[in-house]
Amino acid sequence: MSSNATKDHPQLAAIFNRDEPRVDWHDETLWWVRAKRDIAAHKLPEWELLRETASQIKNNVLSNLSTYLEQFEANAINNGIIVHWAATAEEHNKIIYTLLEKRGISRMVKSKSMLTEECHLNEYLLKQGIDVIDSDLGERIVQLAGEPPSHIVLPCIHKKKEEIGDIFHEHLGSAKGESDPKILTETARQHLREVFLTRRAALTGVNFAIAETGEFVICTNEGNADMGAHLAEIHIASMGIEKIIPERKHLGVFLRLLTRSATGQPITTYSSHFSKPQDGKEIHIVIVDNGRSIQLGREDFRNSLKCIRCGACMNTCPVYRKSGGHSYHTAVAGPIGSILAPNLDMEKYADLPFASTLCGSCSNVCPVKIDIHDQLYKWRQVIVKAGYTPKAKTLAMKGMAFTLSSPMIYRAAGKMGRFTFKYAPFAVNNGANPWYKHREMPKAPEQSFGEWYAKRKENKK
Amino acid sequence: MKVALFVPCYVDQFYPQAAIATLELLEKLGCEVHYPKNQTCCGQPMANSGYEHLTGGCNNLFIDNFAGYDYIVCPSGSCTLHIKEHLHSHENEDKASEIRKRVFELTEFLVDILQVKSLEASFPYKVGMHQSCHGLRGLRISQMTELVAPPFSKPAQLLGMVKGLELVPLSRADDCCGFGGTFCVVEEAVSSKMGKDRVDDHIEHGAQYITSADLSCLMHLEGILRRQNSEVKVIHVAEILNHSI
């Protein structure tokens, strides 16, 4: 990740695009997931109603967030869950470290949680001497490769099975050159089984927390959250404040939408409810803000907190498919990440809202109807006004605005431009022109429409 | 019916034949068409790049040119959408809001307002239709594959009235071509890859022409086709609808 910190999306995407067959493979793989999502969605005639319902439930949640969080806290405590509040990523990491340190635990198993990625928990704990093993298969693969996930639902979608074989050979002792997914999965299963059995602490994310009952729900396809949580003495759940839903009956709406949007499945293999600890064990939940309340206060961007992390916007996004998750250099990649990240650090992520054609497909697949592409447009305005754009671009835009505000100057510039295209093509057809690198410039016609129209009018008189 | 023709800057400068076809087509269909001569640009290139605050001059100029017409018709979905969503003015907000309601992309104007049922056009070729995202998802001139709703397409409906034209199916009916305004130069690597893939989809299905209700996408796809020395040509939908042999 650190090597990516100085490069922006266009640069990272250009590196990814050096290997065109790989881009094609990445694009096809994610389009296949998008196609599965379409089939699943089109099987439900009430799909659009479900989306609208989910969106309205989330509107209610965002308008009454503190009430629902307090209700959840009271009910969770009543159930015997220990509740912690963290305002920042640092506080979140510290709370978790303290819980482990107190019990003398130095090894923890983790189920996939994008929030802990956002908080860089693994790196923090590693520095404190705590060993963390990610138990989701995809997460484990990227962890062994020393990379962050490139997709929130399919964390190692950017890796081919042969590459995974090499990683497993190096770290888990599988045979050299082995790339059979069945054999590789079995290798991971054996390895993780040992981990599950020996870890005293397990950390999971939270997909939905229910205010009414004080319970929380985790969705996994591999059952790894359950394995970790059931076998350990202490289960720590990390949850963003926006994960709350008011009542248990609302869960059905979200569970029906989540995996259909994510992978085209009717429902996750495991949708596990946690409401109280087993005898002699503990459940802790860390409720994290980390900039979310700031986003809640930004009227144009508050809707982004409705996100249920299905990843549908990534799978449909033509830019994501052709630039890869790592080009977004943030924990949550793709269109949704591009509207969440600038809230965390506007300067560092100033490039992301521009990494889009504003095609709008993301907003259409979003199961909770986040106006993603409109927010990308709005972030661009905010980022430019905040001064996080190159000076050359600002100058060019000022020149353009000046030219286009005056019909006379516009006509003169148009004429000059067409003249240049025609008689001095080398001035535009050169290496300094990013358009020309892969595309021919349009041919310049003899006359503009305006000129043609003036003559036509003249002739008609 | 007094119709003002809104010809976006890049169409005016590079693709006058599309604007001419639009004008002739509207006249054929009985409209009284005016071309306000001091028009320049809708301001979208600045706005989409984050410089909406620099578009005041363009907005006021647009209002000066286009206030007072029954309809404003434009052969570009993207520019139409920009006016519909973002045309504002401190001095003339009333006129701006009137214009936002009266501006139409050509194919939606033909289908929804003129309610065209038949055309005297022929174009005996295999044609692929590229759905421009702003026309598609912004103006909703066709149904989108992401939504669970009955299909329809205003440009396809019109192309269906053209004698001899065969519309070829595409593998990805409404994937973006990657033009995206300044995106095409800022993100040239991804943009050109997207364009190449879009072009390939049309070629694989035997298209001789790629058409669209948006020339900005076509300009990008044309640049790629010409770099590949391809025989396949781009043509604006207005040119097909106005075409007879």
PDB file of all heavy atoms in Angstrom, chain A residues 54-76:
ATOM      1  N   ALA A  54     -35.463  -0.424   1.299  1.00  0.00           N
ATOM      2  CA  ALA A  54     -34.178  -0.399   2.000  1.00  0.00           C
ATOM      3  C   ALA A  54     -33.660   1.030   2.124  1.00  0.00           C
ATOM      4  O   ALA A  54     -33.154   1.445   3.172  1.00  0.00           O
ATOM      5  CB  ALA A  54     -33.162  -1.265   1.253  1.00  0.00           C
ATOM      6  N   SER A  55     -33.808   1.774   1.051  1.00  0.00           N
ATOM      7  CA  SER A  55     -33.342   3.154   1.043  1.00  0.00           C
ATOM      8  C   SER A  55     -34.092   3.984   2.095  1.00  0.00           C
ATOM      9  O   SER A  55     -33.490   4.778   2.834  1.00  0.00           O
ATOM     10  CB  SER A  55     -33.550   3.729  -0.362  1.00  0.00           C
ATOM     11  OG  SER A  55     -33.264   5.090  -0.381  1.00  0.00           O
ATOM     12  N   GLN A  56     -35.405   3.768   2.173  1.00  0.00           N
ATOM     13  CA  GLN A  56     -36.208   4.523   3.151  1.00  0.00           C
ATOM     14  C   GLN A  56     -35.869   4.117   4.590  1.00  0.00           C
ATOM     15  O   GLN A  56     -35.838   4.962   5.491  1.00  0.00           O
ATOM     16  CB  GLN A  56     -37.714   4.320   2.881  1.00  0.00           C
ATOM     17  CG  GLN A  56     -38.198   4.875   1.547  1.00  0.00           C
ATOM     18  CD  GLN A  56     -38.074   6.395   1.446  1.00  0.00           C
ATOM     19  OE1 GLN A  56     -37.812   7.084   2.421  1.00  0.00           O
ATOM     20  NE2 GLN A  56     -38.228   6.916   0.245  1.00  0.00           N
ATOM     21  N   ILE A  57     -35.637   2.826   4.804  1.00  0.00           N
ATOM     22  CA  ILE A  57     -35.252   2.388   6.162  1.00  0.00           C
ATOM     23  C   ILE A  57     -33.950   3.082   6.552  1.00  0.00           C
ATOM     24  O   ILE A  57     -33.793   3.594   7.665  1.00  0.00           O
ATOM     25  CB  ILE A  57     -35.100   0.852   6.228  1.00  0.00           C
ATOM     26  CG1 ILE A  57     -36.459   0.157   6.011  1.00  0.00           C
ATOM     27  CG2 ILE A  57     -34.517   0.423   7.585  1.00  0.00           C
ATOM     28  CD1 ILE A  57     -36.370  -1.363   5.827  1.00  0.00           C
ATOM     29  N   LYS A  58     -33.016   3.108   5.603  1.00  0.00           N
ATOM     30  CA  LYS A  58     -31.725   3.749   5.896  1.00  0.00           C
ATOM     31  C   LYS A  58     -31.877   5.260   6.091  1.00  0.00           C
ATOM     32  O   LYS A  58     -31.154   5.859   6.892  1.00  0.00           O
ATOM     33  CB  LYS A  58     -30.724   3.445   4.775  1.00  0.00           C
ATOM     34  CG  LYS A  58     -30.148   2.045   4.863  1.00  0.00           C
ATOM     35  CD  LYS A  58     -29.074   1.968   5.964  1.00  0.00           C
ATOM     36  CE  LYS A  58     -28.467   0.578   6.057  1.00  0.00           C
ATOM     37  NZ  LYS A  58     -27.435   0.490   7.109  1.00  0.00           N
ATOM     38  N   ASN A  59     -32.805   5.883   5.363  1.00  0.00           N
ATOM     39  CA  ASN A  59     -33.059   7.316   5.590  1.00  0.00           C
ATOM     40  C   ASN A  59     -33.496   7.552   7.020  1.00  0.00           C
ATOM     41  O   ASN A  59     -33.039   8.483   7.684  1.00  0.00           O
ATOM     42  CB  ASN A  59     -34.176   7.818   4.654  1.00  0.00           C
ATOM     43  CG  ASN A  59     -33.637   8.241   3.315  1.00  0.00           C
ATOM     44  OD1 ASN A  59     -32.449   8.577   3.188  1.00  0.00           O
ATOM     45  ND2 ASN A  59     -34.480   8.238   2.305  1.00  0.00           N
ATOM     46  N   ASN A  60     -34.391   6.698   7.475  1.00  0.00           N
ATOM     47  CA  ASN A  60     -34.864   6.777   8.858  1.00  0.00           C
ATOM     48  C   ASN A  60     -33.693   6.607   9.822  1.00  0.00           C
ATOM     49  O   ASN A  60     -33.533   7.381  10.771  1.00  0.00           O
ATOM     50  CB  ASN A  60     -35.937   5.688   9.057  1.00  0.00           C
ATOM     51  CG  ASN A  60     -36.466   5.616  10.482  1.00  0.00           C
ATOM     52  OD1 ASN A  60     -35.753   5.934  11.438  1.00  0.00           O
ATOM     53  ND2 ASN A  60     -37.704   5.194  10.634  1.00  0.00           N
ATOM     54  N   VAL A  61     -32.856   5.604   9.544  1.00  0.00           N
ATOM     55  CA  VAL A  61     -31.706   5.344  10.416  1.00  0.00           C
ATOM     56  C   VAL A  61     -30.799   6.577  10.504  1.00  0.00           C
ATOM     57  O   VAL A  61     -30.417   7.012  11.586  1.00  0.00           O
ATOM     58  CB  VAL A  61     -30.899   4.127   9.901  1.00  0.00           C
ATOM     59  CG1 VAL A  61     -29.531   4.052  10.567  1.00  0.00           C
ATOM     60  CG2 VAL A  61     -31.675   2.835  10.132  1.00  0.00           C
ATOM     61  N   LEU A  62     -30.490   7.150   9.339  1.00  0.00           N
ATOM     62  CA  LEU A  62     -29.549   8.275   9.336  1.00  0.00           C
ATOM     63  C   LEU A  62     -30.137   9.510  10.017  1.00  0.00           C
ATOM     64  O   LEU A  62     -29.408  10.328  10.560  1.00  0.00           O
ATOM     65  CB  LEU A  62     -29.110   8.596   7.900  1.00  0.00           C
ATOM     66  CG  LEU A  62     -28.304   7.496   7.204  1.00  0.00           C
ATOM     67  CD1 LEU A  62     -27.946   7.906   5.778  1.00  0.00           C
ATOM     68  CD2 LEU A  62     -27.032   7.136   7.974  1.00  0.00           C
ATOM     69  N   SER A  63     -31.451   9.625   9.970  1.00  0.00           N
ATOM     70  CA  SER A  63     -32.076  10.778  10.626  1.00  0.00           C
ATOM     71  C   SER A  63     -32.228  10.589  12.128  1.00  0.00           C
ATOM     72  O   SER A  63     -32.513  11.547  12.846  1.00  0.00           O
ATOM     73  CB  SER A  63     -33.456  11.044  10.010  1.00  0.00           C
ATOM     74  OG  SER A  63     -33.318  11.286   8.645  1.00  0.00           O
ATOM     75  N   ASN A  64     -32.109   9.365  12.592  1.00  0.00           N
ATOM     76  CA  ASN A  64     -32.291   9.088  14.025  1.00  0.00           C
ATOM     77  C   ASN A  64     -31.148   8.240  14.558  1.00  0.00           C
ATOM     78  O   ASN A  64     -31.351   7.388  15.440  1.00  0.00           O
ATOM     79  CB  ASN A  64     -33.617   8.337  14.257  1.00  0.00           C
ATOM     80  CG  ASN A  64     -34.800   9.125  13.739  1.00  0.00           C
ATOM     81  OD1 ASN A  64     -35.231  10.077  14.366  1.00  0.00           O
ATOM     82  ND2 ASN A  64     -35.300   8.730  12.583  1.00  0.00           N
ATOM     83  N   LEU A  65     -29.975   8.491  14.033  1.00  0.00           N
ATOM     84  CA  LEU A  65     -28.857   7.591  14.295  1.00  0.00           C
ATOM     85  C   LEU A  65     -28.549   7.453  15.782  1.00  0.00           C
ATOM     86  O   LEU A  65     -28.402   6.345  16.299  1.00  0.00           O
ATOM     87  CB  LEU A  65     -27.620   8.078  13.518  1.00  0.00           C
ATOM     88  CG  LEU A  65     -26.484   7.089  13.390  1.00  0.00           C
ATOM     89  CD1 LEU A  65     -26.948   5.776  12.770  1.00  0.00           C
ATOM     90  CD2 LEU A  65     -25.369   7.669  12.501  1.00  0.00           C
ATOM     91  N   SER A  66     -28.476   8.581  16.493  1.00  0.00           N
ATOM     92  CA  SER A  66     -28.075   8.500  17.904  1.00  0.00           C
ATOM     93  C   SER A  66     -29.110   7.739  18.725  1.00  0.00           C
ATOM     94  O   SER A  66     -28.780   6.956  19.611  1.00  0.00           O
ATOM     95  CB  SER A  66     -27.833   9.890  18.474  1.00  0.00           C
ATOM     96  OG  SER A  66     -29.011  10.653  18.357  1.00  0.00           O
ATOM     97  N   THR A  67     -30.379   7.936  18.386  1.00  0.00           N
ATOM     98  CA  THR A  67     -31.443   7.230  19.121  1.00  0.00           C
ATOM     99  C   THR A  67     -31.300   5.718  18.962  1.00  0.00           C
ATOM    100  O   THR A  67     -31.350   4.968  19.941  1.00  0.00           O
ATOM    101  CB  THR A  67     -32.830   7.644  18.567  1.00  0.00           C
ATOM    102  OG1 THR A  67     -32.850   9.068  18.465  1.00  0.00           O
ATOM    103  CG2 THR A  67     -33.962   7.156  19.443  1.00  0.00           C
ATOM    104  N   TYR A  68     -31.116   5.290  17.695  1.00  0.00           N
ATOM    105  CA  TYR A  68     -31.010   3.851  17.455  1.00  0.00           C
ATOM    106  C   TYR A  68     -29.735   3.263  18.073  1.00  0.00           C
ATOM    107  O   TYR A  68     -29.751   2.140  18.582  1.00  0.00           O
ATOM    108  CB  TYR A  68     -31.065   3.548  15.953  1.00  0.00           C
ATOM    109  CG  TYR A  68     -32.436   3.755  15.364  1.00  0.00           C
ATOM    110  CD1 TYR A  68     -32.619   4.557  14.243  1.00  0.00           C
ATOM    111  CD2 TYR A  68     -33.563   3.146  15.929  1.00  0.00           C
ATOM    112  CE1 TYR A  68     -33.885   4.755  13.698  1.00  0.00           C
ATOM    113  CE2 TYR A  68     -34.826   3.348  15.395  1.00  0.00           C
ATOM    114  CZ  TYR A  68     -34.985   4.151  14.278  1.00  0.00           C
ATOM    115  OH  TYR A  68     -36.237   4.339  13.751  1.00  0.00           O
ATOM    116  N   LEU A  69     -28.657   4.036  18.033  1.00  0.00           N
ATOM    117  CA  LEU A  69     -27.409   3.528  18.614  1.00  0.00           C
ATOM    118  C   LEU A  69     -27.544   3.359  20.125  1.00  0.00           C
ATOM    119  O   LEU A  69     -27.086   2.361  20.696  1.00  0.00           O
ATOM    120  CB  LEU A  69     -26.246   4.474  18.279  1.00  0.00           C
ATOM    121  CG  LEU A  69     -25.706   4.377  16.848  1.00  0.00           C
ATOM    122  CD1 LEU A  69     -24.756   5.534  16.543  1.00  0.00           C
ATOM    123  CD2 LEU A  69     -25.004   3.043  16.603  1.00  0.00           C
ATOM    124  N   GLU A  70     -28.175   4.331  20.746  1.00  0.00           N
ATOM    125  CA  GLU A  70     -28.351   4.224  22.206  1.00  0.00           C
ATOM    126  C   GLU A  70     -29.291   3.070  22.563  1.00  0.00           C
ATOM    127  O   GLU A  70     -29.069   2.358  23.536  1.00  0.00           O
ATOM    128  CB  GLU A  70     -28.885   5.548  22.768  1.00  0.00           C
ATOM    129  CG  GLU A  70     -27.783   6.598  22.883  1.00  0.00           C
ATOM    130  CD  GLU A  70     -28.318   8.000  23.171  1.00  0.00           C
ATOM    131  OE1 GLU A  70     -29.457   8.114  23.668  1.00  0.00           O
ATOM    132  OE2 GLU A  70     -27.594   8.956  22.872  1.00  0.00           O
ATOM    133  N   GLN A  71     -30.325   2.905  21.746  1.00  0.00           N
ATOM    134  CA  GLN A  71     -31.260   1.790  21.973  1.00  0.00           C
ATOM    135  C   GLN A  71     -30.524   0.457  21.819  1.00  0.00           C
ATOM    136  O   GLN A  71     -30.684  -0.457  22.643  1.00  0.00           O
ATOM    137  CB  GLN A  71     -32.405   1.880  20.959  1.00  0.00           C
ATOM    138  CG  GLN A  71     -33.577   0.961  21.256  1.00  0.00           C
ATOM    139  CD  GLN A  71     -34.575   0.925  20.098  1.00  0.00           C
ATOM    140  OE1 GLN A  71     -34.541   1.766  19.185  1.00  0.00           O
ATOM    141  NE2 GLN A  71     -35.465  -0.055  20.129  1.00  0.00           N
ATOM    142  N   PHE A  72     -29.682   0.395  20.792  1.00  0.00           N
ATOM    143  CA  PHE A  72     -28.894  -0.821  20.577  1.00  0.00           C
ATOM    144  C   PHE A  72     -27.978  -1.072  21.764  1.00  0.00           C
ATOM    145  O   PHE A  72     -27.895  -2.197  22.281  1.00  0.00           O
ATOM    146  CB  PHE A  72     -28.065  -0.702  19.296  1.00  0.00           C
ATOM    147  CG  PHE A  72     -27.100  -1.846  19.110  1.00  0.00           C
ATOM    148  CD1 PHE A  72     -27.547  -3.074  18.650  1.00  0.00           C
ATOM    149  CD2 PHE A  72     -25.757  -1.706  19.439  1.00  0.00           C
ATOM    150  CE1 PHE A  72     -26.673  -4.147  18.497  1.00  0.00           C
ATOM    151  CE2 PHE A  72     -24.873  -2.769  19.294  1.00  0.00           C
ATOM    152  CZ  PHE A  72     -25.332  -3.994  18.826  1.00  0.00           C
ATOM    153  N   GLU A  73     -27.295  -0.020  22.212  1.00  0.00           N
ATOM    154  CA  GLU A  73     -26.352  -0.176  23.323  1.00  0.00           C
ATOM    155  C   GLU A  73     -27.062  -0.727  24.571  1.00  0.00           C
ATOM    156  O   GLU A  73     -26.605  -1.700  25.188  1.00  0.00           O
ATOM    157  CB  GLU A  73     -25.700   1.163  23.654  1.00  0.00           C
ATOM    158  CG  GLU A  73     -24.688   1.053  24.801  1.00  0.00           C
ATOM    159  CD  GLU A  73     -24.171   2.417  25.255  1.00  0.00           C
ATOM    160  OE1 GLU A  73     -24.944   3.396  25.262  1.00  0.00           O
ATOM    161  OE2 GLU A  73     -22.986   2.497  25.607  1.00  0.00           O
ATOM    162  N   ALA A  74     -28.216  -0.109  24.896  1.00  0.00           N
ATOM    163  CA  ALA A  74     -28.957  -0.534  26.106  1.00  0.00           C
ATOM    164  C   ALA A  74     -29.348  -2.006  25.989  1.00  0.00           C
ATOM    165  O   ALA A  74     -29.152  -2.791  26.925  1.00  0.00           O
ATOM    166  CB  ALA A  74     -30.187   0.343  26.289  1.00  0.00           C
ATOM    167  N   ASN A  75     -29.873  -2.392  24.822  1.00  0.00           N
ATOM    168  CA  ASN A  75     -30.320  -3.779  24.650  1.00  0.00           C
ATOM    169  C   ASN A  75     -29.153  -4.760  24.612  1.00  0.00           C
ATOM    170  O   ASN A  75     -29.247  -5.880  25.127  1.00  0.00           O
ATOM    171  CB  ASN A  75     -31.162  -3.914  23.377  1.00  0.00           C
ATOM    172  CG  ASN A  75     -32.534  -3.281  23.558  1.00  0.00           C
ATOM    173  OD1 ASN A  75     -33.085  -3.284  24.663  1.00  0.00           O
ATOM    174  ND2 ASN A  75     -33.063  -2.711  22.490  1.00  0.00           N
ATOM    175  N   ALA A  76     -28.052  -4.332  24.003  1.00  0.00           N
ATOM    176  CA  ALA A  76     -26.879  -5.208  23.942  1.00  0.00           C
ATOM    177  C   ALA A  76     -26.324  -5.439  25.348  1.00  0.00           C
ATOM    178  O   ALA A  76     -26.005  -6.580  25.720  1.00  0.00           O
ATOM    179  CB  ALA A  76     -25.813  -4.595  23.036  1.00  0.00           C
TER     180      ALA A  76
END
